[in-house]
Each structure stands twice: as structure tokens, then as C-alpha cells.
Amino acid sequence: MRIFFMALLLSLSSFTTYNVTDKKDILSELELVRLNEHVSEIKSFTAANRGYNKKIAFLVDMKIKSGKNRFFVYDLENERIIDQGLVAHGSGSETGIKGDILQFSNAPNSNCTSLGRYSVEKSYKGVFGKAFRLAGMDQTNNNALKRAIVLHCYKEVPDDEKEYYIINSHGCPMVSELFFKRLEKIIDSSDSKIMLSVYY
């Protein structure tokens, strides 16, 4: 299994020059507290439930502005962020209130992002090309499959951080094409389900 994980990290490096970095160099103190809390939840869940990846997890901090990296690929064993990228939130989550205050909903047709834990499911070909279905695991996101909330890419999402807000989605975690290629390689290489935690 260790050989598989090393091969995964090597293959990841072929898509990006991003270096494995200490999370303290990436996140503020408050962001670090939020991340660690959700990492602990994922670790507890994967330890108690078979069929879930115990080495890699995805985390999205919706308190971080959309023009900044807020989708993190996390090495659960070594407790490090190994990749990061921009991710859009749903247009229905916009409140128009200063201070970047977002709202969240699990309701169909809300166009909102839903908070909670997801399991990354099988891929399919959709409007945006290859995408991964997301199964909501909490009361706050258990309509994800019904709402067609999926992990997908879109050409209008930038690869690099910006000083402005990026485009919104219809509620899906939507990333750049380049970042999606890196995520896709990780997901397709995993023999168990990867967990995605979206929090605020």
C-alpha cells in the first residue's frame, strides 16, 4: 500500500509543480483550526467504516474567498496539504452582504452550495465533460445526488489565485480544468471512496 501511495504522489507531481507544504504556511490560524477539526472527523469516520480512503481526503473551506485557494487535497497519514486550488460556490449561496457572508441550502433548485461530508462516487460524462457524482452523507447535503451536485471542471475557473471573486456554479464544487486533471488522477487511482468535506 505504501508503494501505491508513493506512486500516487509521484504521478501527482507530473501534473503540477506544487510542493508538499506544511499547512501552517498555507492557512491562517483560524483556517487551520477549522481544517484540523474536519480532518479529525474524516479520520474517525474512515477508521470506523470500511471502503473509505484512509490516506487522502478533500476539504473545502467556504469561509475563504473564492478567488483564493480553498480546495485542499490532504494527506491524512502525514497530516499535510499536498495540493490546493480554486473552487466555485453556488450562485444561490450569495447573500449580497458585505464581509463575504454566504448562505447554504440542501433544497433542490436552490443553486446553493451544501455543507457537509460527501463521498466521491463514480465518474460519468456530462455537460462539462467528465465529472464525479457526490453522495451527501449528512442531513445538510443528503439531496446531493437528487440535485445532481457533482465535482466538475469549467474553463472559466482560473488556475491561479486572483484578487477578485471567481465565477459561481449551480451548487457544485467547480474547479479549473488543470486542477481537475490532478484530482481526477487521485480519484481514479484510489481503490476506495475519497471523502470530501465542505465546511464554513
Side-chain angles (χ1 to χ4, degrees), residues 43-105:
K43 283 185 171 183
S44 296
F45 183 86
T46 56
N49 295 273
R50 294 181 64 182
Y52 291 90
N53 196 312
K54 295 176 174 60
K55 297 179 182 295
I56 294 283
F58 301 153
L59 297 107
V60 175
D61 186 345
M62 284 292 169
K63 280 250 189 225
I64 299 172
K65 294 179 182 182
S66 66
K68 301 300 178 185
N69 290 332
R70 58 179 180 174
F71 188 125
F72 305 106
V73 179
Y74 196 83
D75 174 350
L76 295 167
E77 288 190 319
N78 297 299
E79 299 192 352
R80 283 176 177 263
I81 292 168
I82 59 172
D83 202 355
Q84 59 180 329
L86 302 178
V87 59
H89 57 254
S91 58
S93 287
E94 294 285 348
T95 62
I97 300 171
K98 278 190 173 183
D100 308 302
I101 296 170
L102 299 178
Q103 63 186 358
F104 304 94
S105 175

Side-chain angles (χ1 to χ4, degrees), residues 24-50:
K24 291 177 185 173
D25 297 334
I26 296 170
L27 302 172
S28 72
E29 194 172 328
L30 281 174
E31 290 163 359
L32 188 57
V33 167
R34 287 199 300 275
L35 179 120
N36 285 336
E37 178 186 329
H38 293 280
V39 164
S40 294
E41 285 179 7
I42 289 171
K43 283 185 171 183
S44 296
F45 183 86
T46 56
N49 295 273
R50 294 181 64 182

Side-chain angles (χ1 to χ4, degrees), residues 60 62 66 70-71 85-91 113 128 134 149-158 166-177 179-180 183 196 198:
V60 175
M62 284 292 169
S66 66
R70 58 179 180 174
F71 188 125
L86 302 178
V87 59
H89 57 254
S91 58
T113 292
F128 300 101
L134 298 173
I149 300 299
V150 300
L151 173 60
H152 69 86
C153 64
Y154 186 54
K155 62 184 178 181
E156 297 299 327
V157 179
I166 65 169
I167 191 169
N168 292 326
S169 70
H170 292 300
C172 297
M174 184 171 74
V175 300
S176 76
E177 292 174 328
F179 189 39
F180 185 82
L183 296 176
L196 162 67
V198 180

